Amino acid sequence: MKWSELSDNWCPVARTLSVVGDRWTLLILRDAYLGKSKFEEFAESSGMTRHILAERLKRLVEEGVLERRLYSSAPKRYDYVLTEKGEELRPALRVMKDWGKKHMPVRREAKA
Amino acid sequence: MKWSELSDNWCPVARTLSVVGDRWTLLILRDAYLGKSKFEEFAESSGMTRHILAERLKRLVEEGVLERRLYSSAPKRYDYVLTEKGEELRPALRVMKDWGKKHMPVRREAKA
DNA sequence: TCCCTGCGTTTTGTTTTGGAACTTATGTCA
DNA sequence: TGACATAAGTTCCAAAACAAAACGCAGGGA
């Protein structure tokens, strides 16, 4: 089954996952909830490749979870801010945060 | 960055995603919350390949989210039931369900 | 002028996934 | 007994996704 097929699944969870159902996308959302909005901020914070980041941002904008906003006109620079639709997923990430704190202790320090 | 590195990230959300951060795993959880427990039930319901399903179930058992349980001794058959740890992710899926209902209307009927 | 920043795109090779057939152990029907 | 069914995986190969690093581009500043 492919992403595209999932978006018309009978199950609302599956349809949600067709948009945010991969770890990179969810890490972008995490950063967005932490106030980040710029390409470089996401890239550095999450450790994902620029390649993947660009694709995921595009998808999130297409789906209306983020909005691409011009924040500087010369030079032209865009950043990505949460829409109301995007904000409404925040509680899911909060559950994951609490779950991670409780059930996934850090075994050794990671650099990123 | 790879899965394995994510499991020791400083961020609890990232650590959670190292376990459940892909759509197939989350669909397995959805089915588990709906009461399914058998390999064939997961396979049929989610539409994922048996290949991927086997791998994800193994991972979820290793991480203590599901428990592999002998439910028939002749022939030997195992199924997968939620642990308390697994139950505690249910609220996250509930958020995704509500979000999908609200923001991801079905455009056309899907077969699976 | 040359280097720097911010936001991507391209390239190349590795890893993961999809799809379908196959396996193993037992049970069931005739 | 033989033929078929069931449940839970495993194996194989091609296709898709990904990682890493270099490149592109449009200004800005020294």
Side-chain angles (χ1 to χ4, degrees):
Chain A
M1 192 190 276
K2 295 154 206 145
W3 276 77
S4 50
E5 296 177 42
L6 215 50
S7 67
D8 287 301
N9 197 280
W10 61 271
C11 171
V13 175
R15 296 200 301 279
T16 296
L17 292 176
S18 77
V19 180
V20 298
D22 77 291
R23 83 195 134 125
W24 297 132
T25 301
L26 289 165
L27 284 178
I28 290 171
L29 285 184
R30 175 203 64 183
D31 286 345
Y33 296 138
L34 291 174
K36 301 191 200 308
S37 69
K38 300 201 183 62
F39 190 94
E40 299 296 331
E41 289 176 329
F42 292 124
E44 186 183 7
S45 159
S46 65
M48 84 185 81
T49 66
R50 319 168 69 69
H51 181 75
I52 299 298
L53 174 58
E55 191 192 82
R56 293 298 192 279
L57 287 173
K58 199 171 127 202
R59 181 169 181 77
L60 287 170
V61 169
E62 279 168 7
E63 294 290 346
V65 174
L66 296 179
E67 189 193 333
R68 189 165 185 262
R69 183 186 61 172
L70 184 73
Y71 75 90
S72 157
S73 41
K76 273 201 163 67
R77 298 264 191 265
Y78 297 89
D79 68 351
Y80 300 86
V81 292
L82 287 160
T83 61
E84 178 55 29
K85 182 172 172 180
E87 277 292 346
E88 288 177 30
L89 272 174
R90 193 191 284 256
L93 275 279
R94 192 146 44 219
V95 171
M96 290 185 188
K97 182 187 71 182
D98 294 342
W99 194 88
K101 277 187 180 174
K102 178 169 179 184
H103 294 293
M104 300 289 295
V106 182
R107 283 168 292 233
R108 49 206 129 81
E109 279 305 308
K111 56 271 154 196
Chain B
M1 192 191 276
K2 294 154 207 146
W3 275 79
S4 50
E5 296 177 42
L6 215 50
S7 67
D8 287 301
N9 197 280
W10 60 273
C11 171
V13 175
R15 296 200 301 278
T16 296
L17 293 176
S18 77
V19 180
V20 298
D22 77 292
R23 79 195 137 126
W24 297 134
T25 300
L26 289 165
L27 284 178
I28 291 171
L29 285 183
R30 175 202 65 184
D31 286 344
Y33 297 137
L34 292 174
K36 300 193 201 309
S37 70
K38 299 200 183 65
F39 190 95
E40 299 296 330
E41 289 176 328
F42 292 124
E44 186 182 9
S45 160
S46 65
M48 86 186 81
T49 65
R50 319 168 67 67
H51 182 75
I52 299 298
L53 175 57
E55 193 193 81
R56 293 297 193 278
L57 286 173
K58 197 170 127 203
R59 182 169 181 75
L60 287 171
V61 169
E62 279 167 7
E63 294 290 345
V65 174
L66 296 180
E67 190 194 332
R68 190 165 184 260
R69 183 185 61 173
L70 185 73
Y71 75 90
S72 156
S73 42
K76 272 203 163 62
R77 298 260 191 266
Y78 296 90
D79 67 354
Y80 300 86
V81 294
L82 288 159
T83 61
E84 179 55 29
K85 182 173 174 180
E87 277 293 345
E88 287 177 31
L89 272 174
R90 194 190 284 255
L93 275 278
R94 193 146 46 221
V95 172
M96 291 186 187
K97 183 186 70 183
D98 294 342
W99 194 87
K101 278 187 180 174
K102 178 168 178 186
H103 294 293
M104 300 289 295
V106 182
R107 284 168 293 234
R108 49 207 128 80
E109 279 306 308
K111 56 273 156 195

